[in-house]
Structure formats: C-alpha cells, structure tokens
Amino acid sequence: MKHLAKRITETSPKSFGMFAKAMQTGREDLIHLELGRPSADTPEHIKEATIDAIRRGDVHYSDLQGVPHLRRALAEKLSRKNDLEVTPDRILVTNGLTHGSYAGIMAFLDPGDEAILLEPYYPQHIGKVELAGATPVLAQLDASKNYAIDPEAIEAKITERTKMIVLINPCNPTGRVYSREELQALADIAIKHDLIVMSDEVYEDILFDKAEHISIASLPGMDERTITLFAFTKSYAMDGWRLGYLVAPEAAMSALLKITTNDCTHVNTFIQEGALAAVTGDPDVLQGLIDEDAEKRQRVVSRLNQMPGITCPWPEGTIYAFADISGTGFTSQDFADKLLEEAGVVVEAGSFYGAAGEGRIRVCFGSASIEDIDLAMDRIQAMVSDRAPA
C-alpha cells in the first residue's frame, strides 16, 4: 500500500520464527518448546486480588504512571532485591516489558542514532530500534567463551552516533547470568562514552545453581544512565496479563510518559492489584514456580547431553536451554525444520538470534508440562539417533 509510513516499509519485517511455521502446519500433535511463555497457571492469590478489584469498582481511569500503592511496593522490592534505591516517582508501570522497552527506545533514540545489541540478541529489540529511525549495531559474543560480555567487541562497535547499549540479564536466548565483573566492564564503557544502557531483566527471579542476578543500575555511576525493565510475565506466569514496569532516572520520566500516555494512556487499572498481590504475597509461591522450572531444566539438559551430536551447557537462569547441535551436521534452521516436520517438536533455531547463534537451538523448558517435555526429548532423541553414524 503506497501510503504506508517508511518506518514500516523500510524496516525489517516482523518474524515469529518457528511459531509461525508451526501454526501453518495445522497439526494438533505438536509439542511447543519455541515460545517463551510459562506453562504454569497464574497463582490463585493474584487472580483473586484482581477479581476483588473488579468487584469493588476499580474499573476506571487511574494514575498515568501506575497506581501509587503499587509503585510504593515496587520501590520497596527494588531496594530489597535489586539494590536500587528509588522513589515511586521513578517507576512507570507498563503493558509488559515489551511496552517498557518500546518507551525507552522511543524516548532516547533519534533517526541516525545507533544502539548496540549483544549477539545473540532478542529480535524484538531490533524492531523497536528501527521503528525509532535508529540503527541496530551488533556486537557478537563468542560461544566458545560461553557468550561472556566482551568489552573489546562492544567498544569496537562504538561510533560518534552510538547512544545506547541494550542488555538482557539473565540472557534470552543463552541462559547466561552475567557476573559482577562482566557488568562492571559494560558499565565502564557506558560511562566512558556517555551512553544509555537499557537493561531487560525480565528473568531476574529464575536462577539456578546459586547464580546471582545483579541489576547493572546498582553499579557506581549507572543509576543516572540506565533504564531497567521488569515484568511479571515469566516469574509469576502472567504473560497474558501484559504487565511490567521500568525504573528510570527522574529526569527521564516526563519523556517516557510522553510515549506511554500517547500510546495507551495507562495500564489496565484492576490488574495492577494483581501485580501488588504478586509483589507482596507469599514468596513460597514464587519459589514453587522456580522449583518447577529447575526440574524441567534438569530433564531437558541432561537428556540433550545424552544425544549424539548435541551438547548443552547448563543455563544459569531463564527458561531456555541453548543447545549446540553442530555435531549433528545440520544448520540451526535445518535442524529446527526437521524437528518440526519429522518429530512434531517445535524449537527455535539459534540463527533466529543472529549469526552468533548458528549451530544452536533454543529449547524453552518453561513452556510445557513435564510429561510433554519427556515426550519431546524422546522424539528428539529418536530423530537424531536415526541419523547418527552406526
């Protein structure tokens, strides 16, 4: 259509990866391990708090930044859990982390600016950078070094147009939880070159083997240059609720609100009561969900490491295993396609996350029941065993 804006026609098409291919098959026997959605139901106390809010009439317009009592509770959580000492005025409740990242990118990037993404990257961040008229620049991390943050690779990508670095910690798709030393190296670069860091921390709670999540904004000199993004999506199995929040320097809040009040006015009023229940509720509920993810991780990674041609590092966090399938002789995309066609298991090709992901597949162990995970592992093993040398 000739009247479409150039920011639509001249930017990368939106891709849903293997999910789109799977939907085109029409098959009902597929096991979906490609989407980053929790299989668990939202805990009952969160649902009940939301239903109670509807019944008492919390159904009208409310605070544009998020209801004050929720933001106060979030400020307390940020102090206790993230070592971030912020006032409620520095918190903006958003329609999921996706909305928060869109607001952050649109508020800070102009046409002609550049934003550095660490590769393997999360594809949605690229689309937002392009919609802002800016250019995504990829700093490739090394699989042989467990995708560690590489200061030299990042600094080599900085130009006079660089304005932002996008970080995901814990990392989707690699499952890395970055160490304090890695984050400090990135912080040093941001301070040296006067850059904004947008830090996606949606998997902050889902940690394994005593991994420690550190918010980069808590490091010296980073509070005033970091937009930190959180959501209830993964931790509390609230993906369909579309509910998150961001923390930003006080001076940035009016700019962020200029974006969010124009695109959605404010977040749904009554679901914010569900968010409050999540933040202030029994921590054992959250731990139970994480324990279930840990059991699924154990089953997936141990089984993958028994399969010919596949090795899989143990993810330190998130709900993803990033398995190396290069020993099978397939490319990432070919392996994912064969798995869909022959085994009815849907995983994402590592190349979907950039060239640094080639030779890998991303398996979401959080998106299916334990029974389906065991069946999926059986199907994958059968497929690769049939192709293994005698």
Side-chain angles (χ1 to χ4, degrees), residues 55-357:
R55 286 176 173 153
R56 68 172 174 261
D58 291 347
V59 296
H60 301 294
Y61 293 141
S62 60
D63 194 296
L64 298 177
Q65 202 165 327
V67 294
H69 53 282
L70 172 58
R71 287 189 284 118
R72 287 193 294 270
L74 292 172
E76 190 280 327
K77 172 263 178 187
L78 289 163
S79 174
R80 168 176 45 84
K81 197 167 188 175
N82 303 92
D83 199 22
L84 298 177
E85 300 299 332
V86 302
T87 62
D89 288 342
R90 290 182 53 194
I91 299 169
L92 172 60
V93 181
T94 61
N95 286 286
L97 188 144
T98 297
H99 184 219
S101 62
Y102 178 79
I105 286 169
M106 294 299 290
F108 281 94
L109 295 184
D110 284 316
D113 287 341
E114 294 177 349
I116 294 175
L117 282 68
L118 308 186
E119 184 187 342
Y121 52 75
Y122 179 51
Q124 280 204 32
H125 292 324
I126 284 186
K128 296 181 184 70
V129 169
E130 290 182 337
L131 284 173
T135 301
V137 175
L138 307 179
Q140 191 172 103
L141 303 182
D142 190 340
S144 69
K145 297 178 180 178
N146 198 21
Y147 296 113
I149 287 178
D150 183 342
E152 291 184 2
I154 295 167
E155 197 153 23
K157 298 293 183 177
I158 294 175
T159 73
E160 61 183 11
R161 297 191 296 168
T162 307
K163 198 169 185 181
M164 176 182 286
I165 300 174
V166 179
L167 173 70
I168 309 175
N169 182 38
C171 183
N172 172 14
T174 66
R176 281 296 319 281
V177 179
Y178 295 121
S179 68
R180 185 175 296 274
E181 290 73 22
E182 288 174 284
L183 294 172
Q184 186 61 62
L186 185 62
D188 290 344
I189 291 171
I191 293 168
K192 175 182 176 182
H193 296 278
D194 192 21
L195 304 177
I196 294 290
V197 172
M198 189 175 76
S199 183
D200 175 340
E201 302 182 13
V202 69
Y203 296 99
E204 61 168 335
D205 296 310
I206 307 175
L207 306 170
F208 309 111
D209 301 335
K210 298 182 179 180
E212 179 188 10
H213 168 257
I214 299 166
S215 290
I216 193 170
S218 69
L219 300 184
M222 291 304 294
D223 181 61
E224 61 265 31
R225 64 176 63 253
T226 305
I227 308 297
T228 313
L229 309 169
F230 302 95
F232 300 88
T233 306
K234 317 295 181 179
S235 301
Y236 295 96
M238 295 172 68
D239 46 308
W241 293 60
R242 309 312 307 134
L243 189 59
Y245 58 102
L246 64 78
V247 181
E250 185 176 358
M253 192 54 67
S254 61
L256 292 162
L257 280 166
K258 191 170 186 177
I259 305 299
T260 59
T261 56
N262 274 291
D263 68 15
C264 70
T265 306
H266 65 73
V267 169
N268 176 308
T269 301
F270 48 82
I271 65 168
Q272 294 183 66
E273 299 303 322
L276 180 66
V279 172
T280 61
D282 184 351
D284 287 345
V285 174
L286 174 59
Q287 189 58 52
L289 293 169
I290 296 168
D291 289 345
E292 184 176 330
D293 284 331
E295 182 177 353
K296 294 176 179 180
R297 166 184 176 261
Q298 176 69 33
R299 288 172 182 257
V300 165
V301 177
S302 60
R303 286 291 302 277
L304 288 171
N305 278 317
Q306 296 171 20
M307 299 180 192
I310 299 179
T311 58
C312 187
W314 290 85
E316 300 160 338
T318 77
I319 53 176
Y320 308 111
F322 207 46
D324 184 342
I325 52 86
S326 57
T328 66
F330 287 109
T331 67
S332 293
Q333 191 60 61
D334 285 345
F335 188 93
D337 289 339
K338 288 287 186 184
L339 200 58
L340 170 61
E341 178 185 347
E342 298 182 14
V345 177
V346 196
V347 300
E348 193 56 73
S351 53
F352 185 66
Y353 307 99

Side-chain angles (χ1 to χ4, degrees), residues 37-51:
R37 65 183 179 196
S39 65
D41 193 7
T42 303
E44 284 300 315
H45 73 287
I46 297 173
K47 294 181 182 179
E48 289 300 323
T50 305
I51 293 167

